[in-house]
Amino acid sequence: MSKSMVKVENVGMRFNLMENKVDDLKDYIIKALRRELRYQEFWALRDISFELKKGERIGILGLNGAGKSTLLKVVAGVLKPSEGTIKTTGVIAPLLELGAGFDKQYTGAENIYLYGAVLGYSREFLDSKFQEIVDFSELKDFINVPVKNYSSGMRARLGFSIATIVDPDILILDEVLSVGDAKFRKKSEKKITSMFDKGVTVLFVSHSLEQVKRLCDKAIILDNGRIVASGSIEDVSLVYEEMTE
Amino acid sequence: MKNAVINFKKYRYLLKELINKDIKLKYRRSYLGLLWTLLEPLLTMIVLTFVFSGLFGRGDESYPIYILTGRLLYTFFSTATKASMKSIRSNAGMIKKVYVPKYIYPFASTLSNYVIFLLSLIVLIVVSLVLNVMPTLYIFNAIFPLILILILSLGVGMILSTLAVFFRDLEYLWSVFLMFIMYTSAIFYQVEKLKIAGKEWIFNINPLYNIIVNFRNAIFGRPMDKYALIYSTCFSFGSLIIGMFIFYKNQDKFILHI
């Protein structure tokens, strides 16, 4: 009997979209006086429930705008769901849009500490893993260059290296296995699969069904924020293929 | 509450990193680096003394110190609150990707400016010695205004950072309001010397003025003004409580607006 690592129960995420975006005080007051402040409710997720046990790997499939990334952000704790509950156990490594949290004026080395701190690592831990991160990112001398001079691939490589330096219990992957060149892609996929062997629980979003089939053992399909199919990867991928026909 | 403490401990290192970053980047590309923290208040003090000594400071040798005390405190308050106000937006990239307790951002902005402010007090010490204003036992009272101004800036910073997420034009409004605060903080004139009968209440309700009053009292070796101390204490802690309250009430909505 293995432990439940992620438990999502009846989660819904509601956004209030203003018909015309108001984000300053002047517009707000004028619109409020004219009674033009209308909100439109929009549910990005509705009635989402699933459970993942230790070592299970779930692929989240769906068309653009189906709510996949929103679901990952809710599990990562970045977004708070409007309804329902989420329970997670252990260390979460969120790999969402790698390198987006870097400070551009900081060098790569300084960003290792900054981004590491954001992910909740301690100074001692980062000191001990510093060389390993630099080596994995293959940035060599570029590590002392401000990140604003990096290419997007270099940034993603550094982000990937920092985020995967821990042994997480839960790994959240959003389209990140397509970073860098072919060589780095292979290397990062190898790193991810080595984590699988350690029994990490995975939530994986990708548009590549082939990749999901290779990496996951379960899958769900989202459509307009609702789960339309869930089960083993074989069954779900058949449904998905039909959907995308 | 207990969870908040555990969480804070976990992210203490992040707070330190963010404070470091602010300070490092602020001076990275200037030739004189951190020395600017000392030069800048010294130069403005000289300019203000030159301009206003004929008007307000006649025959008063310690007038430059009077200006410097007011200016240092005001500058800290204005830069810290402005930085906090922008902190949520400027860290939007992080906030959207990774979970971090969000109050860390306005806190780091205020604290990094506080470190710079404390360093700039060196100028005050040097100028005081040069102009022969020697510290007395009352100097220890300076700790009260120094703590109060930090509390006040944290509180006001949290209120502003919350509001600024929803209303972008708050930045301009706040600059105007800061100007009002500056002119009612008696930075380069003495309230007693002005003929402003009936308008003293403007000074009495300005928390920053009340903090500056007690800071000056400590520097010039006078006992603390009780009204100013009580008023500024209540106002500072009040603003912190209100700031924390509205920040916590709204923080989950930030991400939808940045």
Side-chain angles (χ1 to χ4, degrees):
Chain A
M1 146 90 222
S2 51
K3 221 166 65 180
S4 162
M5 298 298 287
V6 180
K7 196 169 184 187
V8 177
E9 269 179 300
N10 303 317
V11 161
M13 186 74 219
R14 184 186 60 229
F15 292 105
N16 282 326
L17 294 180
M18 236 179 272
E19 273 178 17
N20 21 22
K21 198 165 163 37
V22 174
D23 62 0
D24 63 34
L25 200 57
K26 188 189 75 193
D27 280 359
Y28 186 84
I29 292 171
I30 292 171
K31 294 243 158 65
L33 288 174
R34 289 186 180 164
R35 298 178 195 284
E36 280 176 3
L37 284 176
R38 275 187 290 268
Y39 294 92
Q40 228 179 5
E41 262 190 17
F42 166 70
W43 288 88
L45 293 175
R46 204 73 207 262
D47 298 324
I48 305 286
S49 302
F50 62 89
E51 193 179 353
L52 290 178
K53 298 218 161 63
K54 191 168 162 49
E56 283 188 316
R57 304 187 294 272
I58 194 167
I60 300 161
L61 297 161
L63 306 172
N64 280 331
K68 302 183 298 286
S69 295
T70 309
L71 178 58
L72 289 193
K73 283 184 181 177
V74 170
V75 176
V78 176
L79 281 173
K80 201 175 172 192
S82 317
E83 55 178 38
T85 55
I86 287 178
K87 267 191 213 128
T88 55
T89 320
V91 179
I92 302 180
L95 273 70
L96 310 163
E97 291 174 56
L98 290 169
F102 287 153
D103 190 291
K104 292 196 169 63
Q105 296 184 61
Y106 250 24
T107 66
E110 286 168 319
N111 266 308
I112 291 181
Y113 284 97
L114 180 66
Y115 196 57
V118 169
L119 295 173
Y121 308 164
S122 71
R123 162 122 217 169
E124 297 73 42
F125 178 78
L126 287 166
D127 278 336
S128 68
K129 296 282 187 181
F130 183 82
Q131 200 51 46
E132 200 181 315
I133 294 170
V134 177
D135 291 344
F136 193 85
S137 68
E138 297 173 9
L139 284 167
K140 298 192 187 95
D141 293 342
F142 279 103
I143 205 70
N144 293 316
V145 170
V147 164
K148 64 179 174 203
N149 300 330
Y150 281 21
S151 70
S152 59
M154 286 158 84
R155 219 172 288 171
R157 258 150 56 191
L158 184 61
F160 182 90
S161 311
I162 301 171
T164 53
I165 200 68
V166 276
D167 282 325
D169 300 300
I170 300 165
L171 192 60
I172 297 178
L173 301 166
D174 190 356
E175 297 277 6
V176 288
L177 292 180
S178 40
V179 304
D181 47 30
K183 196 175 139 228
F184 192 80
R185 218 174 305 160
K186 261 187 208 147
K187 193 168 145 185
S188 55
E189 209 177 299
K190 215 173 125 198
K191 173 108 179 183
I192 298 286
T193 25
S194 84
M195 285 180 174
F196 290 179
D197 300 337
K198 287 177 193 154
V200 69
T201 305
V202 180
L203 288 97
F204 182 50
V205 162
S206 175
H207 283 290
S208 150
L209 184 62
E210 179 261 333
Q211 213 174 25
V212 174
K213 270 180 174 169
R214 199 168 64 228
L215 296 175
C216 302
D217 48 16
K218 278 171 85 175
I220 54 176
I221 299 178
L222 289 181
D223 190 34
N224 286 322
R226 289 171 190 270
I227 295 183
V228 291
S230 72
S232 74
I233 181 70
E234 291 83 15
D235 300 343
V236 174
S237 60
L238 287 176
V239 180
Y240 188 68
E241 268 161 2
E242 251 170 58
M243 260 177 83
T244 50
E245 276 299 297
Chain B
M1 190 65 207
K2 202 182 150 200
N3 279 336
V5 174
I6 295 170
N7 219 1
F8 177 75
K9 273 193 184 149
K10 185 176 172 198
Y11 287 99
R12 208 173 31 185
Y13 172 56
L14 174 62
L15 185 63
K16 221 172 96 190
E17 271 294 319
L18 287 172
I19 294 170
N20 262 337
K21 185 187 84 168
D22 276 0
I23 297 172
K24 261 196 209 168
L25 291 182
K26 193 164 187 180
Y27 297 104
R28 172 158 292 176
R29 238 167 303 138
S30 74
Y31 191 62
L32 291 170
L34 261 180
L35 207 62
W36 266 120
T37 13
L38 307 182
L39 271 181
E40 204 256 1
L42 191 68
L43 293 175
T44 33
M45 179 201 80
I46 292 169
V47 171
L48 286 174
T49 308
F50 180 73
V51 173
F52 289 110
S53 60
L55 268 177
F56 303 112
R58 215 161 308 190
D60 185 358
E61 279 204 358
S62 62
Y63 183 59
I65 300 175
Y66 186 86
I67 291 181
L68 195 57
T69 45
R71 219 206 72 98
L72 282 172
L73 266 64
Y74 168 77
T75 309
F76 162 65
F77 179 74
S78 88
T79 48
T81 50
K82 277 188 200 162
S84 301
M85 181 165 57
K86 292 181 192 150
S87 62
I88 299 292
R89 265 188 202 285
S90 55
N91 288 297
M94 295 249 195
I95 293 174
K96 283 185 195 168
K97 304 297 173 313
V98 198
Y99 166 77
V100 161
K102 293 178 191 66
Y103 64 84
I104 289 253
Y105 297 112
F107 266 41
S109 300
T110 304
L111 289 173
S112 61
N113 278 299
Y114 195 63
V115 173
I116 291 171
F117 161 69
L118 290 182
L119 282 175
S120 67
L121 289 180
I122 296 172
V123 181
L124 181 63
I125 296 169
V126 173
V127 172
S128 299
L129 294 178
V130 170
L131 295 177
N132 212 18
V133 174
M134 290 302 159
T136 61
L137 267 182
Y138 285 116
I139 195 75
F140 294 108
N141 284 340
I143 195 86
F144 293 103
L146 288 181
I147 289 173
L148 287 177
I149 199 165
L150 177 62
I151 304 280
L152 180 70
S153 305
L154 284 173
V156 173
M158 287 192 107
I159 297 171
L160 289 171
S161 61
T162 309
L163 294 177
V165 170
F166 302 101
F167 306 113
R168 277 172 198 252
D169 53 352
L170 192 72
E171 283 179 32
Y172 310 111
L173 277 177
W174 183 241
S175 315
V176 175
F177 197 71
L178 272 176
M179 194 167 72
F180 176 69
I181 293 177
M182 183 184 83
Y183 283 114
T184 55
S185 289
I187 290 170
F188 37 75
Y189 56 81
Q190 276 150 304
V191 176
E192 304 79 42
K193 287 193 184 172
L194 283 185
K195 298 193 177 64
I196 45 158
K199 296 242 173 69
E200 290 88 349
W201 62 272
I202 294 182
F203 297 95
N204 290 336
I205 61 163
N206 179 349
L208 194 63
Y209 171 71
N210 286 293
I211 291 175
I212 292 174
V213 163
N214 273 331
F215 189 63
R216 282 179 177 146
N217 284 339
I219 301 294
F220 288 110
R222 297 187 295 247
M224 279 206 279
D225 180 319
K226 284 229 175 58
Y227 165 80
L229 180 68
I230 294 168
Y231 180 77
S232 54
T233 307
C234 295
F235 199 101
S236 302
F237 282 94
S239 71
L240 185 63
I241 292 165
I242 293 170
M244 277 161 63
F245 181 76
I246 71 161
F247 195 90
Y248 273 88
K249 276 270 157 189
N250 290 294
Q251 59 175 352
D252 295 327
K253 285 186 250 162
F254 286 178
I255 192 164
L256 310 175
H257 291 263
I258 48 179

